[in-house]
Amino acid sequence: MTKLKNFSHLTLSAVKEILAEQLTNAELEALFFKYKLLDTYRGLGIASKKNKIMEIFHYLSTKGDEGSLRILSEIVSDAFKEGYYDDNVERFLAQDGYKLNDVGEIIPIVSSTVDTVKEEGLVETLLDKYRFTVAKKHLKQSYDNYLDGNWETSNAALRSFLQDVFDQISLLLYADDVRKIKTGGARRQLLQEKGFIVGRSEADLVKSFFTFASGKGSHPGISSEPDCRLRRYMCIALASYYLTKLEEHIL
């Protein structure tokens, strides 16, 4: 069974609007009774349908276990199985890593060409192994903001994540030299001088990413989902490559 991820606030808000507009209160009660959530729904008192639906979604998202996420995905699927549709939802679902199959079920997007889920899982495993806790925190912040559509904040966290990866690699491999050098570009330069970043081509590639990543930064209103997604792909690929290379150096 494929492990499910959580849905973004954008997706859940769009689905909330669909359900609140298309279903009567009695029909909503029947829906939540189906998933043994009727007591929770009724327990929310006289709040509007929209608010009560969102509270149910928040409850399931916050629990975060596989069962709760599967119920959440089935509720979202139910909206489409009944013939309800919103053009924005399909786009939001794709940003979350999901799509609708032919019968309206929510299923994870699995790509045979760009498996970012696999790469990100490898990165997180190596971050844990070497206790790069700050870098992992930045990576999570970037992912959470990406799901919520905060593109500029996600971009900024990506830069901080990759910079800390290089800082920590340099500290782990060349501790005596690094203590005399400030974080940032100077430590990447040290990694190049030591041969960890190999040659001018690799150094230019890394430098180009940081230049590109700083181009739109965290300035409001000038980034977008495709732009942010491109940065994520590039950043995860670079982190995966150099963290795996760290493994080889230490072994």
Side-chain angles (χ1 to χ4, degrees), residues 18-19 22-23 27 78-86 100:
I18 293 172
L19 292 177
Q22 299 293 338
L23 298 182
E27 289 170 331
D78 279 342
F80 295 100
K81 288 177 183 176
E82 296 299 324
Y84 311 137
Y85 186 77
D86 182 289
L100 293 168

Side-chain angles (χ1 to χ4, degrees), residues 166-181 187-197 245-246 249:
F166 282 116
D167 285 346
Q168 295 306 315
I169 288 175
S170 64
L171 187 61
L172 195 59
L173 294 180
Y174 312 110
D176 291 339
D177 298 295
V178 165
R179 290 192 180 94
K180 309 169 189 176
I181 301 175
R187 291 194 179 183
R188 296 198 302 273
Q189 178 65 34
L190 174 66
L191 290 175
Q192 182 186 357
E193 293 171 358
K194 295 290 187 179
F196 184 82
I197 296 176
K245 197 168 185 178
L246 172 65
H249 269 66

Side-chain angles (χ1 to χ4, degrees), residues 104-237:
E105 295 172 331
I106 302 295
I107 59 173
I109 296 172
V110 179
S111 171
S112 59
T113 55
V114 182
D115 194 347
T116 54
V117 173
K118 179 179 178 181
E119 288 300 318
E120 197 156 348
L122 173 61
V123 166
E124 289 182 352
T125 297
L126 293 174
L127 292 176
D128 286 337
K129 179 175 181 178
Y130 294 107
R131 299 180 182 178
F132 290 0
T133 54
V134 173
K136 186 174 181 181
K137 180 179 178 181
H138 287 310
L139 182 62
K140 185 179 187 306
Q141 289 171 340
S142 174
Y143 180 71
D144 290 344
N145 279 284
Y146 177 77
L147 289 184
D148 287 340
N150 302 321
W151 318 126
E152 294 80 22
T153 305
S154 179
N155 292 340
L158 276 177
R159 291 197 309 275
S160 297
F161 156 68
L162 191 60
Q163 184 57 67
D164 195 67
V165 166
F166 282 116
D167 285 346
Q168 295 306 315
I169 288 175
S170 64
L171 187 61
L172 195 59
L173 294 180
Y174 312 110
D176 291 339
D177 298 295
V178 165
R179 290 192 180 94
K180 309 169 189 176
I181 301 175
K182 293 182 180 180
T183 59
R187 291 194 179 183
R188 296 198 302 273
Q189 178 65 34
L190 174 66
L191 290 175
Q192 182 186 357
E193 293 171 358
K194 295 290 187 179
F196 184 82
I197 296 176
V198 180
R200 175 58 59 184
S201 295
E202 270 194 31
D204 286 347
L205 175 63
V206 173
K207 182 179 179 181
S208 295
F209 173 79
F210 278 100
T211 301
F212 171 66
S214 300
K216 294 185 178 179
S218 55
H219 304 295
I222 60 175
S223 191
S224 63
E225 190 276 328
D227 171 79
C228 187
R229 185 173 67 248
L230 173 61
R231 294 163 193 259
R232 284 189 58 78
Y233 287 170
M234 294 173 66
C235 186
I236 293 300

